[in-house]
Amino acid sequence: MKVAFVFVLYQTPEEEVLRIKKELRAMGVNDADIYFTDNTADNKGYAYGVNQGITRALSDKAEVVVVANTDISFQKLSLADITNGVKHFDVCGFRCEQNGETFYGGRLDSWRMSGGLIYDKPSTRYTACDFVSGSFMILTRNVIDEVGLFDESYFMYYEDVDYCIRATKTGFTVGVDSERAYEHFETSSENPDKAYFLAKNRFKILLAHGSFMQKMYEVVRFPKTCFQESNLIRRLIKKDPFFVNYFSLNISSVANKVLNFLLFIVLVNNLSLHEYGIYTLVWAHVTLLNPLTDLGTTSYGLIYGNKSTRHIFKLFSLRFYVSLLVFILTVLLAFLFHYNLNVLGYIILLSFVIFSNALSGSFLILTSVIERVYLSSVFSFIFNLIMISFLIAITYLYRDISYVFLTVFIFYNIYSVSNIMGIQRVLSTQLNPQAEERKIGAFIRENLRIRPAAWWAIFRKSYIFVLIGLFASLYFKGDIFLLNYYKGEEAVGIYSAGYKFFEALMFFAASYNITAAPAFVRLKQQGKELLIKRVKRDLVFLSALGIGVSVSVYLLAPYILPFFLKGTFLEAIAVTRIVIFALPLILLISVFLNLLYIYQKSFIVVYIFMAQMVVNIGLNIMFIPRYSFIGSSYITVFSELINLIILLFVTIKVIKNSH
């Protein structure tokens, strides 16, 4: 039985390499069966180095592969110990003596999936365990052929745990020989990044292999985890702010969606159908021109932003004047649409949200530039928590939509002032503490300056984002306005209530976009074949996810939604059961949109959204007069189907023509 030994070197002293060779020769191992991969020049991670060695060993007909660290001693072992071990386990290890202690493999925490060492000596020599330490791991060729190589995304730590879990799931056995031992010097304890990689990769193990209940437990336990790992978290923020920025942004986004969904439940149970229809219509009108309010400057600021206060003020002053223009246009449109006086008054009150959104977007851009996005994320969540709590209380107390709009008006104006103070403070403390803009008056004057040349330079790079957002906004809101025109506020209320449950599940698409876009960029750089392989896998996964969720909602909606919807709102259940089938289509569309973005074909997306808007509005004009909100529901699904078919053919053509 040919046994090969694989080692990964990283700044390893030559004398250590010579010691390993000497000890292995004493065991009867030939130099030809010892494989070293030196990662010093181009460190791609421990798992990468291991895979290089395993691949070479297998090509030389090795039947057993020993993966071992360079900081261990083989003096207490023999080749017979290794060959006997694989007769009992497919993945095998030995008793490890380390820092004066002895352990016998490892076990996984039943709730957190963290790897812990076993210090209690087993009653039998050969004993099963959840994983064996990667410092000395014996693998048979059969295991490698079935399970594959190590997952290189772990870089270092937990790659051994992941491999053992995969082997166990494939049907192989994992265990240790408790009577034979090796000594581990544990030089990795000196690694300053050890705590970082251990924490990061434990979460990776949980996400990859944990059950739903284990993941939910970790979510509930998250505050305690943060407290326990407070020193590590502070170090992560300083070392790599992306980590905390990424998670804070997404956690606050999900939390805000949950809060808004709770508000929706309260509104439909305490307002009349007519009033809820007005509430939805007013919000649709006020947010119709949102893409113009932003003018693509958020995307521009995140991509092209820099820490120059002059550049920041050019961007912020443009955002202010555009939001002022959009405010005026929004109010003028309200008069042109001939709403009744109540609706008109609500629109004027709510239009002040435009300024608040512009300022909170500016705060997001600024905190992104200084890599402190968590500041705006936390600020946004706290504001939404307080405001929605008040809105829920006001709705229960008065059950009057006018009080709801008045509360929104007051809170969003407070939010505007708070964002101004936050922006000014960050500018004065983080970017330029000696600047005149530390004074609030000077700061406001800078934001009011008119800079046409600078604004034009920004717009030339940001307009593509405006067009995409504008046509998408018209597409998603056109049916609301047409329903109101043909059927009135009650039809709007029923359609919006049913649509809200579908909208609540759109986080599937948002989460996918967040994780897929960076991966697509990386794979495109590595080669088209790898990218296509990932795309095919994602299409299968998202199809199964979308269809599974859609069918489940369709079957369960008549039994679950009546707990949230009462009276006339029960008609909204039919809307939910129809529009939910747009979910799998939107998930698949997300894949193709990401591909077009990374191939820099954003202009194609503009044309597609434009065509989709025209088709959607045309169909709604044809069918709303006869079929009301049911017609709009079917049109939503049909429009997404047409969009998917167009994107499929366009994306295939783009990829084929790419080099």
Side-chain angles (χ1 to χ4, degrees):
M1 184 180 292
K2 183 174 181 179
V3 181
F5 291 78
V6 171
F7 299 91
V8 179
L9 308 179
Y10 181 74
Q11 299 180 349
T12 308
E14 181 63 26
E15 56 267 24
E16 283 298 290
V17 176
L18 294 175
R19 177 187 62 79
I20 290 169
K21 288 183 176 180
K22 181 180 178 181
E23 291 183 2
L24 290 178
R25 288 192 196 109
M27 290 171 58
V29 180
N30 298 319
D31 284 357
D33 294 328
I34 306 173
Y35 300 85
F36 292 101
T37 301
D38 196 339
N39 270 357
T40 303
D42 185 15
N43 187 15
K44 295 182 179 180
Y46 179 73
Y48 169 83
V50 167
N51 287 344
Q52 295 297 304
I54 290 176
T55 302
R56 289 160 54 200
L58 293 183
S59 66
D60 290 339
K61 312 299 182 184
E63 298 171 76
V64 175
V65 177
V66 177
V67 176
N69 288 3
T70 55
D71 58 348
I72 68 170
S73 172
F74 297 88
Q75 291 182 346
K76 297 180 181 180
L77 296 173
S78 67
L79 275 179
D81 294 329
I82 293 171
T83 56
N84 286 335
V86 294
K87 292 177 183 177
H88 293 82
F89 299 108
D90 301 299
V91 180
C92 187
F94 294 114
R95 184 179 83 235
C96 178
E97 297 173 352
Q98 176 179 305
N99 298 329
E101 295 182 301
T102 302
F103 66 86
Y104 306 86
R107 68 166 61 94
L108 292 171
D109 184 282
S110 59
W111 279 107
R112 306 194 65 211
M113 295 291 286
S114 57
L117 302 177
I118 300 172
Y119 290 92
D120 297 329
K121 184 175 181 178
S123 57
T124 57
R125 174 175 177 176
Y126 294 101
T127 182
C129 56
D130 292 333
F131 66 91
V132 298
S133 171
S135 61
F136 196 110
M137 178 184 281
I138 309 167
L139 308 172
T140 63
R141 188 184 187 101
N142 287 340
V143 172
I144 300 171
D145 288 341
E146 289 290 326
V147 178
L149 298 173
F150 281 66
D151 186 341
E152 295 176 11
S153 67
Y154 284 91
F155 194 79
M156 65 171 64
Y157 304 116
Y158 269 97
E159 70 287 324
D160 48 358
V161 179
D162 171 75
Y163 198 89
C164 289
I165 294 174
R166 287 159 53 201
T168 301
K169 287 182 175 180
T170 311
F172 293 106
T173 56
V174 178
V176 296
D177 178 349
S178 62
E179 290 191 7
R180 295 292 180 264
Y182 67 94
E183 185 178 359
H184 187 201
F185 308 130
E186 182 57 359
T187 57
S188 68
S189 59
E190 302 168 4
N191 184 353
D193 293 326
K194 182 174 181 177
Y196 165 73
F197 282 110
L198 284 173
K200 174 186 174 183
N201 290 341
R202 186 189 71 77
F203 277 108
K204 186 176 176 66
I205 285 283
L206 179 66
L207 292 174
H209 302 294
S211 66
F212 175 78
M213 290 302 297
Q214 287 170 324
K215 293 171 184 176
M216 287 300 98
Y217 175 79
E218 192 65 32
V219 171
V220 173
R221 192 189 187 279
F222 188 72
K224 183 178 180 180
T225 302
C226 291
F227 177 77
Q228 291 175 331
E229 304 290 348
S230 56
N231 291 331
L232 175 62
I233 290 172
R234 283 194 294 269
R235 183 169 170 270
L236 284 176
I237 294 173
K238 186 175 181 180
K239 172 184 169 59
D240 186 6
F242 171 79
F243 183 84
V244 69
N245 288 335
Y246 175 81
F247 282 103
S248 65
L249 188 60
N250 288 287
I251 290 171
S252 68
S253 177
V254 172
N256 287 337
K257 287 182 181 298
V258 171
L259 289 171
N260 278 283
F261 187 75
L262 291 175
L263 176 61
F264 156 71
I265 298 300
V266 172
L267 290 174
V268 297
N269 280 280
N270 290 275
L271 298 179
S272 68
L273 182 58
H274 176 75
E275 285 183 313
Y276 182 72
I278 291 175
Y279 178 82
T280 303
L281 178 64
V282 170
W283 270 109
H285 183 96
V286 170
T287 56
L288 178 64
L289 300 179
N290 256 359
L292 292 181
T293 307
D294 183 72
L295 206 65
T297 51
T298 298
S299 298
Y300 171 87
L302 297 177
I303 296 171
Y304 303 108
N306 59 60
K307 295 184 179 181
S308 162
T309 52
R310 180 177 297 179
H311 175 82
I312 289 170
F313 279 125
K314 290 176 183 177
L315 187 61
F316 287 2
S317 62
L318 172 60
R319 290 174 63 86
F320 169 74
Y321 281 105
V322 170
S323 62
L324 179 61
L325 176 62
V326 171
F327 175 86
I328 295 170
L329 288 174
T330 300
V331 174
L332 287 176
L333 280 176
F335 282 100
L336 290 175
F337 287 0
H338 298 291
Y339 295 120
N340 64 52
L341 288 178
N342 282 339
V343 173
L344 185 62
Y346 297 148
I347 287 174
I348 293 172
L349 275 179
L350 203 61
S351 292
F352 283 88
V353 170
I354 293 168
F355 297 110
S356 179
N357 288 341
L359 289 165
S360 63
S362 296
F363 193 32
L364 173 64
I365 294 170
L366 181 59
T367 54
S368 174
V369 168
I370 64 171
E371 298 184 278
R372 297 291 187 272
V373 173
Y374 58 86
L375 294 175
S376 58
S377 301
V378 172
F379 190 44
S380 170
F381 170 70
I382 292 173
F383 164 74
N384 276 282
L385 178 63
I386 296 173
M387 182 185 70
I388 289 176
S389 298
F390 268 87
L391 283 171
I392 290 173
I394 291 294
T395 305
Y396 271 122
L397 286 172
Y398 296 101
R399 301 175 188 270
D400 188 329
I401 195 171
S402 59
Y403 287 100
V404 173
F405 282 121
L406 182 61
T407 304
V408 171
F409 168 77
I410 293 171
F411 269 95
Y412 270 102
N413 278 284
I414 293 173
Y415 192 41
S416 294
V417 175
S418 301
N419 274 290
I420 290 173
M421 295 173 65
I423 292 169
Q424 190 269 339
R425 179 169 178 78
V426 169
L427 281 170
S428 63
T429 59
Q430 300 288 329
L431 293 185
N432 194 357
Q434 306 305 318
E436 175 67 18
E437 290 81 16
R438 290 191 66 178
K439 299 176 181 178
I440 194 71
F443 166 77
I444 293 174
R445 284 195 300 273
E446 280 294 321
N447 277 278
L448 294 178
R449 283 184 58 187
I450 298 175
R451 304 173 169 91
W455 293 349
W456 175 246
I458 293 171
F459 181 72
R460 288 171 62 187
K461 291 183 177 180
S462 68
Y463 79 94
I464 193 70
F465 304 114
V466 180
L467 294 175
I468 292 173
L470 180 61
F471 289 123
S473 178
L474 290 172
Y475 163 65
F476 283 112
K477 295 183 175 67
D479 47 11
I480 295 291
F481 294 114
L482 290 170
L483 268 174
N484 180 65
Y485 178 78
Y486 286 111
K487 296 295 180 178
E489 287 92 353
E490 290 194 3
V492 171
I494 293 172
Y495 179 71
S496 301
Y499 197 93
K500 196 74 175 180
F501 289 95
F502 159 69
E503 194 177 61
L505 295 170
M506 286 296 290
F507 72 88
F508 285 116
S511 300
Y512 172 76
N513 288 331
I514 291 168
T515 55
F520 279 17
V521 172
R522 174 174 51 82
L523 291 171
K524 178 174 176 283
Q525 295 169 347
Q526 294 176 358
K528 188 190 296 185
E529 294 76 15
L530 290 174
L531 176 61
I532 293 174
K533 183 179 179 181
R534 167 65 185 264
V535 167
K536 289 180 178 178
R537 189 200 74 180
D538 285 4
L539 290 173
V540 172
F541 167 72
L542 293 174
S543 296
L545 175 66
I547 293 171
V549 172
S550 298
V551 172
S552 298
V553 171
Y554 179 82
L555 296 175
L556 297 175
Y559 306 101
I560 295 177
L561 297 196
F563 288 103
F564 305 106
L565 304 172
K566 307 294 182 184
T568 315
F569 277 104
L570 289 171
E571 293 184 65
I573 295 175
V575 174
T576 302
R577 298 183 81 196
I578 297 170
V579 297
I580 192 61
F581 286 100
L583 179 63
L585 303 175
I586 290 173
L587 288 173
L588 298 180
I589 286 169
S590 298
V591 178
F592 299 122
L593 288 178
N594 276 303
L595 285 170
L596 290 178
Y597 288 140
I598 68 167
Y599 277 101
Q600 299 182 348
K601 302 295 182 182
S602 299
F603 66 93
I604 295 178
V605 179
V606 174
Y607 295 139
I608 291 173
F609 274 125
M610 187 189 304
Q612 189 181 32
M613 178 198 70
V614 172
V615 170
N616 185 270
I617 291 177
L619 290 173
N620 273 290
I621 290 173
M622 291 172 59
F623 291 103
I624 283 178
R626 182 173 180 181
Y627 299 104
S628 189
F629 52 82
I630 295 297
S632 291
S633 303
Y634 280 111
I635 291 166
T636 295
V637 179
F638 180 75
S639 298
E640 297 298 346
L641 178 60
I642 297 298
N643 196 13
L644 176 61
I645 293 171
I646 294 172
L647 278 167
L648 173 62
F649 285 104
V650 169
T651 308
I652 289 174
K653 187 175 180 179
V654 167
I655 293 176
K656 282 184 176 179
N657 294 336
S658 65
H659 301 288

